[in-house]
Amino acid sequence: MSMGLVSYGVFFLSVVLILGIVALGLNLQWGYTGLFNAGIAGFYAIGAYTHSIITTPPRADLIANMGLPWVVGIAGAMAVTALAAWIIGLATIRLRGDYLAISTFGIAVTIQLVTLNFEALTGGSQGFTGIPRPLYGMFGSPFAFNLFYFALLLAVVALVYWGLERILRSPWGRVLKAVREDETAAIALGKSAISFRLQSFVIGSTLMGLAGALYVSFIGFVSPFDFLPIVTFQIWAMVIVGGSGNNKGALLGALTVWLIWASSGVAITKLVPPAHAAQGGAIQVILIGLMLVLALLFRPRGLIGEETMVSRHADER
Amino acid sequence: MKTTLGVAAALATIALMGPAPASAQQVSCPVKIGGILPLTGSMAPITKKIAESAQLALEHINQGGGIKGCPVELVLRDDQGQPTVGVDAAKYLVEVERVPAITGTISSGVTGPIISSVTGPSKIVQISCCSTASAFTLDGRSGGYFFRTLPTSKTQAFATASEITRRGLKKTAIIYVNTDFGVDMTKFVKLALPKLGGEIVAEVPYNDNQSSYRAEVTKALAAKPESLLLIGFPKDAVTIVREWLSLGGPQQIALNNSMRVMDFVNGVGPRFLNESFGMDNAQVAGPTVDAFNQAFEAKYKTDSKGPGVHTQYDALMVLGLAMNIAKDLTGPSIKDAVRQVHAAGGAQVGTGPEEFKKAISLIKDGKPIKYFGATGPIEFDANGDVTGPALVWKIKDGEIVTDRVISIEEMQALFKKVE
């Protein structure tokens, strides 16, 4: 395997891991709780911009940059996203299904427009350049840094995955499923459905904010174009293709969908004669659509479906 | 988890070895150049011609002798107007295809992350035909590896301001697209117009892809302007101009370069545009420009008008020349060579395969060259930007025609007056 392929692979998988964290967040909301969050890009953006503002050194044309360490940025991004999700959740969480989808979609578009227009805070459409990367100076080559960051992401994803698996297998997680399957029954059993929905919404959105922060400190640049509605669509595709209601499925979905997206571009450059490369782009978009449809035709419940989860105390009787 | 650790350990070992040193002297054929353009998505309508222009440049380079005796391949990838997709494509081109240089892309929101995460750190030369965000080339954030062949929005903005005042229009309302391009343009027009005797009475941003812009138009009209300056992209501009005129706005409408396409003119209806005028970066009239236009028309059976068409040709030609000048095909060498493409006292070379052939033989003899491209003389300043003349166009009998050209000398005088 050539060196270049390894270097690209590390970069590619880093993006997959970041998107995987977002997919895990959505999976908690949709897969386990049945919350139709169509505002993923918005929470992703809040995390990304909070981190950028906290870590980028002060600049004359921007009002709030702090130049604080990376870890502070990550923590701040999660805290601010959680707070935003909580406020948005208070206002919207009582809405069901498509109503929740429409309102969260609207909020995400609003957030994107704020990042575009609040120039003094976000840099507007010019974006933020020079977002610091953690320990970047310690690495001699971009590849060494990418490898370090990949390992870091791997650790974060492992932690998030472990944490989610733990809470979802606890009584708390079973209540979420109960709310998803039959909210009235859950309420009849004395559970506050609204409260559980809100908790799930906030935790899931916080993960999206975390991913946003990890993304910008990997790329070093952020602009409102990073948070167009297509991002929300891609994450949904990942959770659906991977298998909603299964955290492994969410991660596998992230890998599969992003692989389809990237490899179709490579395939076009190999298959389409260079003289027709300009038309190749259209074929790529068709390929992406085709592969997503095929995945759903052959695996309607996703690549890995939901697994049955019962209390570990169930067979003690 | 064990396997994960195993993989991690293996990767760590590779990391310690470092990336394989690029062989400096020998050049393996064919030479690849990476290309990234939004072939699909909202920019797709203008990208088609730009991509064709890139293909034409590639053809000319190959017919003119290629790079260091090798045929050249352009590996063109679609960024879909999405930053993550563009970054992934760039990383693939640099690491797997091993391209020593990239041309691209159009949207600044995609160009930015490519510079910061791929071409900047990996020291790969990137030349864009179309990204205007001023931040990229300021204070060396790209490490000097980013160039662009279109004059930044400043040139166009100053030219626009001067043309508005030349036509005696005092009160102007600006409606601009809320992107880096629109914001930059508005910023520079605001700087210039008052100093040239004009006045801005309203500034209204708009967001693209809406079905109606009545609110924006009404707001701009409320200030009772004598003219409108519309900065944006053709599809939405058609809607805006139609609403502007139907609400009784004056026909004196100044337009930016993106509107210099027949789609826009026919979309609005040419008879409503007799009083309007637009700006573009001038393809200085000259033999090198004509040669390009003729070659383009001959190959694609359509005219070469349109945003980015000429600058994309120059982006690739500059790479072709620089890679012949560079002592080896590594990023740092090519970066230095880009600055020698328009050397002081060099022999003039132009567009087309014959001129490229001539340039190569001059380079082989160790003589300096001075490239005049499809957009005139291409000379990069310290930031990697080009300055250039501007052009005023108008619509006459349903056709887009050139009204006058503002030469480089006039532009320089204008810059002095404003700054």
Side-chain angles (χ1 to χ4, degrees):
Chain A
M1 195 163 45
S2 87
M3 192 55 222
L5 209 55
V6 174
S7 177
Y8 170 72
V10 167
F11 191 91
F12 171 85
L13 287 175
S14 299
V15 175
V16 167
L17 288 175
I18 292 168
L19 296 174
I21 296 174
V22 190
L24 284 173
L26 178 65
N27 191 35
L28 174 66
Q29 296 174 338
W30 169 252
Y32 287 94
T33 326
L35 298 173
F36 201 139
N37 180 0
I40 298 163
F43 298 106
Y44 191 47
I46 293 176
Y49 271 102
T50 308
H51 182 84
S52 312
I53 290 166
I54 291 177
T55 58
T56 311
R59 241 166 60 192
D61 54 333
L62 296 170
I63 52 174
N65 290 12
M66 301 175 201
L68 295 173
W70 182 80
V71 186
V72 182
I74 296 288
M78 290 177 74
V80 172
T81 318
L83 183 68
W86 184 67
I87 294 169
I88 292 167
L90 279 183
T92 61
I93 208 72
R94 282 161 209 277
L95 300 172
R96 299 283 177 278
D98 35 4
Y99 296 101
L100 179 65
I102 292 290
S103 56
T104 47
F105 182 78
I107 287 163
V109 171
T110 311
I111 292 169
Q112 201 258 347
L113 289 177
V114 169
T115 65
L116 188 60
N117 291 287
F118 198 166
E119 221 173 306
L121 185 70
T122 65
S125 54
Q126 292 255 346
F128 251 106
T129 49
I131 299 165
R133 283 166 254 217
L135 306 176
Y136 191 64
M138 285 180 59
F139 298 94
S141 71
F143 176 61
F145 168 77
N146 285 354
L147 203 55
F148 155 75
Y149 205 84
F150 175 65
L152 184 76
L153 286 171
L154 215 51
V156 173
V157 169
L159 189 69
V160 169
Y161 178 82
W162 175 79
L164 282 175
E165 285 289 304
R166 241 191 108 101
I167 59 170
L168 287 169
R169 280 166 205 278
S170 73
W172 185 84
R174 288 195 295 278
V175 177
L176 292 189
K177 283 192 165 186
V179 170
R180 182 192 72 187
E181 293 302 323
D182 191 336
E183 198 172 323
T184 320
I187 295 169
L189 288 169
K191 304 294 178 188
S192 165
I194 294 297
S195 162
F196 277 91
R197 284 159 65 99
L198 186 59
Q199 289 170 34
S200 165
F201 185 73
V202 171
I203 297 175
S205 301
T206 307
L207 290 177
M208 295 168 189
L210 167 67
L214 292 169
Y215 175 71
V216 294
S217 60
F218 177 53
I219 297 291
F221 179 91
V222 66
S223 83
F225 296 95
D226 287 312
F227 309 106
L228 294 171
I230 179 85
V231 175
T232 299
F233 167 78
Q234 281 165 335
I235 301 296
W236 268 97
M238 286 166 186
V239 171
I240 304 292
V241 166
S244 62
N246 188 320
N247 287 327
K248 284 192 203 78
L251 292 174
L252 183 64
L255 176 67
T256 312
V257 170
W258 197 238
L259 193 64
I260 289 176
W261 228 278
S263 64
S264 59
V266 176
I268 292 302
T269 59
K270 303 287 174 212
L271 300 177
V272 179
H276 296 284
Q279 285 77 33
I283 304 174
Q284 185 188 354
V285 175
I286 297 172
L287 266 185
I288 292 171
L290 186 69
M291 283 194 266
L292 290 179
V293 170
L294 285 179
L296 291 178
L297 274 180
F298 289 102
R299 307 285 301 182
R301 291 177 65 245
L303 295 172
I304 317 178
E306 183 172 2
E307 48 183 315
T308 23
M309 225 182 249
V310 285
S311 165
R312 62 197 154 91
H313 304 296
D315 48 358
E316 279 175 12
R317 275 174 292 147
Chain B
M1 209 56 202
K2 257 183 189 155
T3 37
T4 324
L5 283 176
V7 172
L11 287 174
T13 323
I14 297 167
L16 290 175
M17 298 191 304
S23 52
Q25 265 71 42
Q26 84 205 62
V27 175
S28 59
C29 292
V31 170
K32 286 178 179 173
I33 296 179
I36 302 173
L37 288 171
L39 301 169
T40 57
S42 64
M43 290 286 182
I46 62 167
T47 308
K48 188 174 169 280
K49 266 191 179 180
I50 296 175
E52 285 174 344
S53 181
Q55 293 293 351
L56 184 67
L58 186 77
E59 219 168 79
H60 288 178
I61 292 172
N62 277 328
Q63 287 166 3
I67 290 172
K68 296 198 182 298
C70 287
V72 185
E73 258 176 41
L74 177 69
V75 189
L76 184 63
R77 292 284 301 268
D78 182 11
D79 67 45
Q80 303 178 350
Q82 206 192 338
T84 35
V85 178
V87 165
D88 181 80
K91 190 72 185 173
Y92 186 87
L93 288 171
V94 169
E95 299 292 354
V96 183
E97 298 281 359
R98 286 280 182 214
V99 300
I102 284 181
T103 171
T105 175
I106 297 184
S107 166
S108 295
V110 184
T111 305
I114 291 177
I115 296 171
S116 72
S117 70
V118 183
T119 51
S122 297
K123 297 189 171 28
I124 297 291
V125 172
Q126 181 180 356
I127 305 189
S128 167
C129 68
C130 309
S131 285
T132 45
S134 49
F136 298 158
T137 45
L138 298 177
D139 51 22
R141 286 183 191 120
S142 68
Y145 283 88
F146 179 71
F147 300 88
R148 52 187 146 203
T149 47
L150 84 166
T152 40
S153 19
K154 213 172 177 177
T155 306
Q156 206 188 130
F158 286 7
T160 306
S162 108
E163 182 65 17
I164 288 173
T165 46
R166 201 182 72 94
R167 292 183 178 230
L169 302 167
K170 291 264 180 298
K171 292 178 166 180
T172 303
I174 305 180
I175 298 181
Y176 63 96
V177 62
N178 196 355
T179 63
D180 57 286
F181 169 71
V183 172
D184 263 358
M185 276 284 287
T186 307
K187 195 170 77 190
F188 290 126
V189 171
K190 256 170 74 182
L191 182 73
L193 204 55
K195 290 186 182 156
L196 300 171
E199 189 193 346
I200 296 164
V201 292
E203 273 173 66
V204 189
Y206 80 84
N207 293 308
D208 55 5
N209 280 323
Q210 319 256 322
S211 54
S212 166
Y213 292 101
R214 223 178 167 80
E216 286 82 355
V217 168
T218 312
K219 197 173 159 200
L221 275 173
K224 306 222 178 307
E226 292 170 3
S227 64
L228 167 70
L229 167 56
L230 178 57
I231 300 164
F233 298 104
K235 196 168 137 264
D236 301 322
V238 168
T239 316
I240 293 172
V241 171
R242 287 184 151 205
E243 285 175 331
W244 172 267
L245 294 173
S246 70
L247 289 173
Q251 286 200 10
Q252 278 78 6
I253 301 171
L255 302 157
N256 67 290
N257 57 343
S258 315
M259 259 67 94
R260 197 176 163 207
V261 288
M262 284 314 289
D263 280 357
F264 169 77
V265 176
N266 292 330
V268 176
R271 66 202 168 94
F272 300 113
L273 293 169
N274 287 330
E275 300 289 318
S276 60
F277 55 96
M279 290 300 133
D280 205 342
N281 305 310
Q283 302 105 42
V284 236
T288 64
V289 183
D290 296 342
F292 167 76
N293 288 340
Q294 278 159 18
F296 191 92
E297 281 166 27
K299 184 162 163 66
Y300 297 109
K301 310 282 176 259
T302 171
D303 63 59
S304 58
K305 289 194 190 88
V309 177
H310 295 76
T311 48
Q312 179 61 64
Y313 181 87
D314 282 344
L316 217 59
M317 290 304 269
V318 165
L319 279 180
L321 292 169
M323 287 164 82
N324 271 308
I325 296 172
K327 64 179 191 302
D328 54 51
L329 294 186
T330 58
S333 307
I334 299 173
K335 178 191 78 166
D336 294 339
V338 167
R339 299 194 170 280
Q340 295 164 37
V341 164
H342 192 89
Q348 183 176 336
V349 295
T351 55
E354 290 310 315
E355 290 290 305
F356 195 82
K357 203 175 273 173
K358 190 174 106 191
I360 288 187
S361 68
L362 284 166
I363 292 166
K364 272 190 189 140
D365 298 342
K367 293 195 179 117
I369 58 163
K370 199 169 194 177
Y371 175 62
F372 284 72
T375 50
I378 296 291
E379 189 178 11
F380 296 100
D381 67 8
N383 295 327
D385 288 331
V386 290
T387 41
L391 157 161
V392 184
W393 51 269
K394 61 181 181 183
I395 286 101
K396 198 178 169 195
D397 304 327
E399 293 288 329
I400 298 171
V401 294
T402 303
D403 189 30
R404 71 188 186 104
V405 172
I406 306 175
S407 68
I408 293 190
E409 293 75 30
E410 287 174 90
M411 275 314 296
Q412 282 165 344
L414 188 60
F415 269 65
K416 278 206 188 88
K417 201 167 170 186
V418 173
E419 289 184 325

